[in-house]
Amino acid sequence: MAKMHYLCDFTLLGEAAEPPRLSYATQMIGAQLEWPETKGEGISVAVLDTGVDLHHPDLKHIAGAADMTGEGVQDKNGHGTWCCGAIAANGKMMGAASECDLYAVKVMKNDGSGEVKHIIAGLKWCLENDIDVISMSLGGPKPSDPEYHQVIKQLYKKGVILVTAAGNYGAMFPSDNTVMYPAVWPECIATIAVDIHKDLAPFSSRGSEAEIGAAGKDVWGLWKGGQYVKVSGTSMATPCLAGAVALLQAKAKFRRGSKMDPDTLRWLLQMYAEDLGAPGRDRKFGFGVFSFGRFDQPDSPGVELKFKVGSTRYWKNGEEKQAHIAPFIKSSRAFLGLRDAGEALDCQVDGSNLPFITVKR
């Protein structure tokens, strides 16, 4: 058992052909606030996972992939593709750091299991290829092979930031310390998961090693086969935070001409995290949820409305609806009833106090 690690358990909740452009997890980090200055360019990020869907339209720009398992880099699980997308998607969805140099390093098999020797090989690959940030949404019990921790120490000493999943055993053992390895080790950032309201996700592992939180419940992202799905798990919070780290390093490189060492960057994450639990660091939230700005937007797909001149029929995201009045053209300008437009956008339109009309959502 000690020789094996597994993906941090995740729950597949739904699929969509038209996902939101930005997941609420990306918005909660405030990644878009940094994009006018940088989208992570010049920073190399490796996702150690189940590989990647090389044909996903939102990941055509990835810098490279490597396989340590013998199964090939193509992701037949989906987990690795989701994690890659959270960091660097650039298509229908946008990851937190879409212009970083993203590498998918397959260390976990298609069934979600992974041998420690493959994870070590993946970490060594990162060491040899000058990776700046590593995202690891995997974990297990304390490994018997001391080389695992040794290579992580080497990476940290070299300046590599390791963002790791705390685990998903909080609901089963709420009073116990359930943070998994490698997140337990002091060189790793143990990432916990919160929901859209910044409440601790019930499944999120707890313990003294918990360091920083990010959104990990009901989050949209990429999937194998060019799909988009909504999933939950600390697996989801980890790459979101890794994307934020890539933005911070890119910003440091641009402004100072050099990247931050791991200690300095972690101090910055801790100081700017929103403290959500007991004052200071606590076993549930760590230092809190990091963000470049406070989050106040829901996670919902965009709305596409299609009206036809002269017809009371219209379509909302492809579904046929019925309007009160038909749109018409006058002097080359299109006119549409306010009530129809408001209700189509799920707003309440109140005309009972004419001449005032109120639109609320």
Side-chain angles (χ1 to χ4, degrees), residues 49-94:
D49 213 287
T50 61
V52 65
D53 179 358
L54 294 169
H55 310 297
H56 200 292
D58 291 10
L59 289 173
K60 290 181 178 179
H61 60 296
I62 66 171
D67 173 43
M68 306 298 148
T69 67
E71 292 186 340
V73 297
Q74 186 66 23
D75 181 15
K76 296 182 180 179
N77 180 286
H79 191 275
T81 299
W82 198 101
C83 293
C84 287
I87 296 169
N90 192 347
K92 282 187 177 181
M93 295 196 73
M94 295 290 289

Side-chain angles (χ1 to χ4, degrees), residues 178-190:
T178 51
V179 176
M180 303 185 305
Y181 287 85
V184 169
W185 287 321
E187 297 80 14
C188 298
I189 299 174

Side-chain angles (χ1 to χ4, degrees), residues 17-18 302-307 313-321 344:
E18 297 296 332
V303 177
E304 180 185 79
L305 300 176
K306 185 182 292 185
F307 290 86
R313 291 187 304 157
Y314 73 95
W315 292 263
K316 179 179 179 180
N317 290 342
E319 182 181 352
E320 187 173 323
K321 303 282 187 179

Side-chain angles (χ1 to χ4, degrees), residues 135-175:
S135 178
M136 299 175 71
S137 292
L138 54 86
K142 185 175 182 178
S144 57
D145 191 339
E147 190 177 14
Y148 195 169
H149 195 189
Q150 288 168 7
V151 71
I152 280 179
K153 288 179 180 178
Q154 287 179 274
L155 285 160
Y156 197 81
K157 186 176 181 180
K158 190 178 179 180
V160 182
I161 315 297
L162 296 109
V163 186
T164 56
N168 297 336
Y169 295 100
M172 289 183 277
F173 309 102
S175 300

Side-chain angles (χ1 to χ4, degrees), residues 261-284:
D261 63 84
D263 287 339
T264 301
L265 188 139
R266 290 171 79 172
W267 176 86
L268 192 61
L269 290 175
Q270 294 164 10
M271 290 302 101
Y272 284 91
E274 182 179 359
D275 194 353
L276 297 171
R281 188 173 190 173
D282 66 82
R283 63 184 298 273
K284 292 182 178 180

Side-chain angles (χ1 to χ4, degrees), residues 181-204:
Y181 287 85
V184 169
W185 287 321
E187 297 80 14
C188 298
I189 299 174
T191 310
I192 62 95
V194 298
D195 64 15
I196 194 168
H197 305 295
K198 291 186 268 194
D199 293 326
L200 184 69
F203 53 76
S204 188

Side-chain angles (χ1 to χ4, degrees), residues 7 10 12-13 57 67 92 109 162 168 268 293-294 348 355:
L7 298 175
F10 61 98
L12 182 60
L13 298 164
D67 173 43
K92 282 187 177 181
K109 294 181 179 179
L162 296 109
N168 297 336
L268 192 61
R294 292 294 177 248
Q348 294 178 339

